[in-house]
Amino acid sequence: MKRPQLERPALLEARGVTRLYGPGKGCEDIDFRLHEGEVLGIVGESGSGKSTLLRTLCGMETPDAGRVVYHSDVERCLDGATDDGELDLYAIGEARRRALLRMEWGLVHQNPRDGLRLGVSAGANIGERLMALGDRHYGQLRAAGQDWMGRVELDPGRIDDAPRHFSGGMQQRLQIARTLVTRPRLVFMDEPTGGLDVSVQARLLDMLRTLVRELGLSVVLVTHDLAVARLLADRLMVMCRGRVVEAGLTDQILDDPQHAYTQLLVSSVLTP
Ligand SMILES: Nc1ncnc2c1ncn2[C@@H]1O[C@H](COP(=O)(O)OP(=O)(O)O)[C@@H](O)[C@H]1O
Ligand SMILES: [Mg+2]
């Protein structure tokens, strides 16, 4: 019998996660649970600590205090997990964290240059994530590359071109293909549509929304753009000076914000 959602272990859990560079700089005492198939948006103005939190959640930045707990797919990741697959991210060591990123997670950086190798072909950028999982069949890697280029609306005929010849929007599409080709159980995205022209952003956002729905992705999404949060996120956490000031369902937060900071954030978007 299927258990109700509340009883399922969370896929990712933050318990009192803190990473501070100075007072109010970074993230402090963050708690949340993300369940499979959910998109959690982390919003707040620039400097509120969103990226610091994301880096701490995905193993790139060691917390000063608190725990990040991930419920691993026990089939793939037995070592270091308890019986129910619970992994304490900062107790398992650097090598195992990197293995998680390779095998079960995906990361989409704001700047596609941080997530791509610009000098090698688009096909190799996509294929090497699969190769890292043990896939060595050239024909299949190439077919997967073409398939995923199509899915992110890139011309599959450009599979042999290096992404340094692509526009910023195309590079971001390629980064998304490279991230999703391995079907990650959990995806971290930091401002995935940031730094792009408005028209390019709109198309990319549309495509991302389709992919998130089709693949039933579990996502931690950082964005300062409430329109992006509205379209992609099921739930939101609002950050101010490193702390969560309000959390809840996306529509509730954006349509009926309770905290003065959230009200300001929402109204500054509405005011031209
Ligand atoms: N590596 C770092 N060293 C020192 N201060 C940092 C570092 N990274 C971020 N900060 C500071 O922490 C605060 C939060 O930054 P960040 O997490 O990037 O915010 P956001 O992503 O919400 O814009 C900012 O004041 C920023 O200057
Ligand atoms: Mg940021």
Side-chain angles (χ1 to χ4, degrees), residues 21 25-26 45-52 55:
Y21 305 106
K25 284 183 183 234
E45 67 189 325
S46 176
S48 56
K50 307 180 297 296
S51 294
T52 304
R55 287 198 304 273

Side-chain angles (χ1 to χ4, degrees), residues 50-52 110 190-191 222:
K50 307 180 297 296
S51 294
T52 304
Q110 169 169 1
D190 194 350
E191 310 276 6
V222 158

